[in-house]
Amino acid sequence: MFNFLKQVGDYAKETVQAAKFIGQGLSVTFDHMQRRPVTVQYPYEKLIPSERYRGRIHYEFDKCISCEVCVRVCPINLPIVDWEFDKETKKKKLNHYSIDFGVCIFCGNCVEYCPTNCLSMTEEYELATYDRHELNYDSVALGRLPYKVTQDPMVTPIREFAYLPKGVVDGHDLPAGAQRAGQRPEAIAAQSSPDDTDTSD
Amino acid sequence: MNSGIDLQGSFIQTLTEFGLPQDVARALWIPLPMVLVVIGAVVGVLVTVWLERKVSAAAQQRIGPEFAGPLGVLQPVADGLKLVFKEDVTPNKSDPWLFTLGPILVVIPVILSYLIVPFGQNLLITDLNVGIFLWIALSSIAPIGLLMSGYSSNNKYSLLGGLRAAAQSISYEIPLALAVLAVVMMSNSLSTIDIVEQQSGYGILGWNIWRQPVGFLIFWIAALAECERLPFDLPEAEEELVAGYQTEYSGMRFALFYVGSYINLVLSALIVAILYLGGWEFPIPLDQLAGWLGVSETTPWLQMLTASLGIIMTILKAYVLVFLAVLLRWTLPRVRIDQLLNLGWKFLLPVALVNLLLTAGLKLVFPVAFGG
Amino acid sequence: MNLAEDVQLISFGLLGVLMIAAALGVVLLDQIVYSAFLLGGVFLCMSGLYVLLNADFVAAAQILVYVGAVNVLILFAIMLVNKQETFKPVGNRWLRQGATALVCVGLFALLSTMVLATPWVVDTTVVLTSTVVQIGKHFFSDYLLPFELASVLLLMAMVGAIILARRDFIPEKMATDTQDALTLPERPRELTGTVSDR
């Protein structure tokens, strides 16, 4: 009999506890309602990509020496380097260079290893097309510079998480002089320049 | 309690004064409240859809519909128009008759249940003697429609979803009915008008929620399960069953399911407001207030005021409950089918029975407070 | 003419025709699912007739019990065991059908002669009090015994159903020796008592 009563009591206690937890959950959900939406209204507002954003690859035709390092470091040997050996000058002559961004995974290995720095990452990510073959960029298309978000008059730039002050998670309605967390590169350079005697290079 | 405004009487009287026979006047009156209630139900659905989307967005720190009309209020209309113009596909090897009849059978009982929802002393279609019992009976037709659509879709997900939906609504009907029974026991009547009247007189203190807190919770949980709202939406659990019995539906037939589920939600909220939150009663007893201020109960402007306030209060209470349902939707994860049936049969049913027994006992001991 | 009487007459005719058509469909249709759904239609029409007889509570109870529970259970049973199976045509089928039709027509004739022969007394008194109260009073006064018997019967059915459903208590001694090594261990179909007897 007491055992049964104890069981009933335990069950009731568990029920009350479950109800309490549901109440806590409800209060959390309710609390979220008064917070500002984090929505970025995309075509009208855009996030500023971070400094190390790995977007579409930019390529400078004139700098390229057709060494094919980019092809070798690419996980799938994606870049196509079309060169021929010019017997008169005894140098490689580059005809075409192209990367298919429908296949590229934007790992940035080619940029990392390019000996002449003719490859670089841009902050362009709007690559949508109607035909996947249009994603196969040739050297001219690769040489175009993307439009900066901050300079587009149609777009309100919103700072990304990396550019926000400490403790702020939303890029909307920032005060005018709000700086990002930590020091800016200039400050770090100014700080380290007096005593960089122990440089190893 | 005064009788308030008698719209039917005055309408018929006006028409007979124009020289129409009494019968014709009455026949002209009959469709009016029905059309009004159907329109009200559909508008209520639009409002609920908008509210659900906005509240969901707010709970997830999104904005929600914004561009269709101010604050996106026209978004449900746009959705509805889209569904009207969408191609109505009947899947191959399905049963076209049952496939069409299913959604209709789901929607019609829900709309019929608006018969008994009072918005004021005389502001309802019919004051039936069986009132709230009719609602319970009508809501038990819906599983047939669900089974029908699940069976006729010729799709295993649909069939499983239909079976689940039917099992769920059958098992939650019982605690629902028991919770209603406790309320009915206190008001000595199945009529919704009597149930509200029994709660009137003391303002917010007289509402049934103070006398039936357990019943209120049981009823609300069971009503959510009947409406297949989120903690209990496993008949259409996306991860397991695609969309349950709605999988093969599109266009207007899908719209019927959609509208039906939202009308059902609003209806359940209205019924909770009537059973436990005092229906059209204002939190302060208006009649007594008028008495203290020295205004007669039969003053026309006072009656107009109480009637319109009654409608507003009923709808307001219902929408507060809808809001709560949306919040619950984003708070609680979906239960499994065994948890659902355990909750229904092993928890809600015994608790509802104990609640009924306690109510009966309390009614014998304190006939003043619990309806003599 | 009185509007209410007209409406009553028309709805009675409609309900009657619908009900007969649905009932014939239940019997005559080949596909069993249609029969089950039409059975629901018959129950609905019946509750409509109850409404016409001023028995609103019985009408609602009819929908709740027959449509909401019995018919749904039938549908459940059909849908869970429905194997799309074409049966072999039975020889001399017309004989069986003829015999069935004969019996049915005979029953119908008997009943209709009974209906026509009985001098019915029409009760014109209109009961205005709540039907629920009257039913309750009858249940607890002159119909007390049948009411209680019915509830005991239902209780027995419920207990039986629970016993049938609660097969999941596993016997202490699992019959491992009889099982194949490659099959999944399955709960024995019998109750504990019969297993221990073996």
Side-chain angles (χ1 to χ4, degrees):
Chain A
M1 187 63 197
F2 281 116
N3 197 23
F4 175 72
L5 281 182
K6 188 177 174 300
Q7 272 183 330
V8 170
D10 287 352
Y11 194 65
K13 214 178 282 172
E14 273 176 36
T15 311
V16 170
Q17 220 155 31
K20 205 178 82 188
F21 290 146
I22 289 175
Q24 281 178 358
L26 273 178
S27 65
V28 169
T29 324
F30 190 75
D31 181 61
H32 271 255
M33 309 234 329
Q34 54 159 351
R35 303 189 187 175
R36 197 197 183 287
V38 294
T39 310
V40 176
Q41 295 280 17
Y42 166 60
Y44 312 113
E45 295 177 346
K46 284 178 187 172
L47 288 175
I48 307 167
S50 70
E51 289 158 349
R52 303 185 178 207
Y53 191 82
R54 297 204 297 241
R56 197 256 296 162
I57 290 163
H58 179 261
Y59 168 76
E60 272 180 77
F61 191 84
D62 300 337
K63 275 192 190 173
C64 183
I65 55 170
S66 316
C67 64
E68 288 195 9
V69 160
C70 47
V71 184
R72 267 181 278 148
V73 296
C74 182
I76 48 169
N77 304 341
L78 185 63
I80 290 159
V81 190
D82 174 21
W83 55 268
E84 57 193 333
F85 191 70
D86 194 346
K87 283 197 177 129
E88 289 169 23
T89 54
K90 295 199 174 150
K91 274 178 183 164
K92 287 175 180 171
K93 183 171 170 290
L94 183 58
N95 292 331
H96 292 102
Y97 185 91
S98 67
I99 297 176
D100 188 352
F101 288 111
V103 192
C104 178
I105 61 166
F106 302 97
C107 64
N109 269 354
C110 46
V111 178
E112 192 82 8
Y113 284 92
C114 184
T116 57
N117 276 347
C118 74
L119 287 172
S120 56
M121 286 295 202
T122 65
E123 52 193 46
E124 187 186 354
Y125 49 87
E126 291 150 320
L127 295 171
T129 53
Y130 284 102
D131 182 5
R132 67 191 167 91
H133 300 296
E134 287 173 30
L135 285 172
N136 193 355
Y137 280 42
D138 67 352
S139 47
V140 181
L142 282 168
R144 290 198 189 105
L145 278 171
Y147 220 102
K148 266 190 166 174
V149 172
T150 41
Q151 286 167 352
D152 195 338
M154 298 285 288
V155 172
T156 316
I158 305 289
R159 290 209 217 164
E160 215 190 34
F161 194 65
Y163 297 125
L164 291 177
K166 194 180 179 187
V168 180
V169 283
D170 185 17
H172 297 274
D173 307 332
L174 285 176
Q179 286 246 338
R180 75 177 193 191
Q183 291 170 309
R184 292 179 63 84
E186 302 96 83
I188 296 171
Q191 209 175 46
S192 56
S193 55
D195 53 351
D196 61 347
T197 47
D198 57 340
T199 45
S200 52
D201 60 344
Chain B
M1 191 76 197
N2 61 326
S3 61
I5 303 165
D6 187 8
L7 278 179
Q8 179 177 11
S10 44
F11 179 85
I12 291 172
Q13 201 187 348
T14 318
L15 281 190
T16 41
E17 275 165 17
F18 277 117
L20 278 168
Q22 188 103 22
D23 273 350
V24 178
R26 194 162 290 155
L28 278 177
W29 165 260
I30 287 172
L32 276 182
M34 298 183 197
V35 171
L36 202 67
V37 162
V38 168
I39 290 173
V42 172
V43 172
V45 166
L46 296 183
V47 174
T48 315
V49 170
W50 178 78
L51 197 75
E52 165 134 51
R53 295 185 64 163
K54 271 300 198 192
V55 172
S56 304
Q60 297 168 353
Q61 294 187 47
R62 293 185 285 114
I63 295 175
E66 197 183 27
F67 294 106
L71 285 174
V73 283
L74 292 178
Q75 190 65 46
V77 181
D79 288 355
L81 276 178
K82 183 206 90 172
L83 283 175
V84 168
F85 289 116
K86 200 169 167 179
E87 187 190 358
D88 200 359
V89 186
T90 311
N92 196 14
K93 283 190 183 171
S94 70
D95 196 320
W97 281 97
L98 295 185
F99 193 70
T100 314
L101 207 58
I104 295 173
L105 262 184
V106 173
V107 172
I108 284 181
V110 183
I111 293 181
L112 268 185
S113 304
Y114 270 87
L115 268 179
I116 53 120
V117 177
F119 293 94
Q121 188 68 30
N122 282 314
L123 295 172
L124 83 172
I125 302 183
T126 45
D127 180 16
L128 290 172
N129 270 330
V130 285
I132 199 77
F133 188 60
L134 181 83
W135 173 63
I136 294 173
L138 282 175
S139 69
S140 73
I141 297 182
I144 298 241
L146 300 180
L147 280 174
M148 199 179 263
S149 48
Y151 174 81
S152 61
S153 297
N154 189 30
N155 178 326
K156 58 187 168 192
Y157 299 118
S158 297
L159 182 61
L160 280 175
L163 287 175
R164 270 192 188 185
Q168 177 175 336
S169 66
I170 287 176
S171 24
Y172 277 79
E173 203 121 279
I174 299 163
L176 194 77
L178 286 175
V180 171
L181 215 57
V183 173
V184 167
M185 201 186 268
M186 294 199 307
S187 63
N188 291 321
S189 169
L190 288 164
S191 156
T192 41
I193 296 277
D194 292 349
I195 289 172
V196 176
E197 295 239 298
Q198 179 257 337
Q199 307 175 47
S200 68
Y202 300 101
I204 194 168
L205 292 175
W207 293 356
N208 267 342
I209 185 167
W210 308 120
R211 284 176 278 186
Q212 288 282 336
V214 180
F216 170 74
L217 286 178
I218 294 169
F219 189 91
W220 185 234
I221 292 172
L224 284 182
E226 288 275 303
C227 299
E228 286 152 23
R229 290 291 303 179
L230 200 88
F232 308 109
D233 76 331
L234 61 177
E236 42 205 278
E238 297 90 351
E239 294 85 0
E240 308 158 27
L241 293 176
V242 190
Y245 52 86
Q246 309 173 348
T247 306
E248 297 287 350
Y249 282 88
S250 70
M252 210 46 218
R253 286 178 229 180
F254 174 75
L256 279 183
F257 274 130
Y258 194 73
V259 165
S261 77
Y262 277 103
I263 293 185
N264 207 356
L265 177 66
V266 176
L267 179 74
S268 302
L270 279 170
I271 300 251
V272 173
I274 288 155
L275 289 181
Y276 294 99
L277 300 178
W280 63 81
E281 294 290 331
F282 197 69
I284 309 157
L286 272 187
D287 292 327
Q288 292 181 13
L289 204 67
W292 292 332
L293 291 177
V295 186
S296 167
E297 272 189 359
T298 46
T299 324
W301 65 263
L302 182 70
Q303 290 198 348
M304 275 306 288
L305 185 75
T306 43
S308 43
L309 210 60
I311 297 176
I312 291 170
M313 281 318 289
T314 317
I315 293 172
L316 192 73
K317 286 167 189 173
Y319 273 98
V320 167
L321 287 161
V322 169
F323 172 74
L324 188 68
V326 177
L327 266 195
L328 273 172
R329 171 179 184 166
W330 297 114
T331 306
L332 300 178
R334 182 186 299 127
V335 296
R336 280 196 317 261
I337 184 85
D338 60 323
Q339 292 169 336
L340 174 94
L341 294 178
N342 272 349
L343 180 72
W345 289 103
K346 291 188 187 167
F347 180 72
L348 289 185
L349 183 60
V351 172
L353 275 173
V354 169
N355 181 46
L356 186 64
L357 210 66
L358 268 182
T359 312
L362 285 171
K363 182 175 167 162
L364 287 179
V365 180
F366 307 110
V368 185
F370 288 85
Chain C
M1 269 302 265
N2 195 343
L3 181 75
E5 273 178 23
D6 276 353
V7 169
Q8 259 190 359
L9 200 69
I10 291 170
S11 37
F12 175 73
L14 268 177
L15 282 173
V17 168
L18 264 178
M19 185 153 129
I20 291 169
L24 283 177
V26 173
V27 182
L28 297 179
L29 281 180
D30 278 338
Q31 217 175 338
I32 194 164
V33 181
Y34 286 161
S35 299
F37 282 129
L38 281 175
L39 191 64
V42 174
F43 290 144
L44 279 179
C45 293
M46 219 186 270
S47 84
L49 289 183
Y50 284 137
V51 170
L52 287 184
L53 290 170
N54 271 340
D56 44 3
F57 184 79
V58 183
Q62 165 89 12
I63 293 180
L64 182 66
V65 175
Y66 283 94
V67 182
V70 173
N71 200 33
V72 169
L73 267 187
I74 292 173
L75 280 169
F76 254 91
I78 290 171
M79 285 181 186
L80 288 179
V81 298
N82 194 11
K83 282 163 62 181
Q84 288 289 345
E85 195 177 347
T86 45
F87 295 103
K88 263 184 281 178
V90 190
N92 286 342
R93 190 154 176 247
W94 61 271
L95 202 71
R96 295 166 182 233
Q97 281 175 333
T100 318
L102 205 70
V103 171
C104 290
V105 168
L107 269 176
F108 184 72
L110 265 175
L111 283 173
S112 39
T113 47
M114 188 274 287
V115 167
L116 290 176
T118 314
W120 297 101
V121 182
V122 180
D123 186 7
T124 48
T125 54
V126 180
V127 186
L128 284 177
T129 50
S130 169
T131 50
V132 187
V133 176
Q134 298 232 327
I135 290 172
K137 277 180 182 157
H138 277 302
F139 268 158
F140 285 98
S141 56
D142 38 357
Y143 292 107
L144 185 62
L145 186 66
F147 179 66
E148 289 298 326
L149 278 181
S151 49
V152 169
L153 182 76
L154 285 177
L155 183 70
M156 276 155 59
M158 205 161 76
V159 170
I162 290 171
I163 287 180
L164 281 180
R166 278 204 60 176
R167 277 211 192 114
D168 57 358
F169 42 92
I170 306 165
E172 291 85 47
K173 186 168 69 72
M174 281 285 279
T176 41
D177 47 344
T178 53
Q179 258 165 4
D180 232 340
L182 288 174
T183 53
L184 285 170
E186 209 174 337
R187 279 175 187 152
R189 271 305 193 188
E190 295 82 9
L191 287 175
T192 338
T194 51
V195 171
S196 57
D197 285 345
R198 260 194 292 174

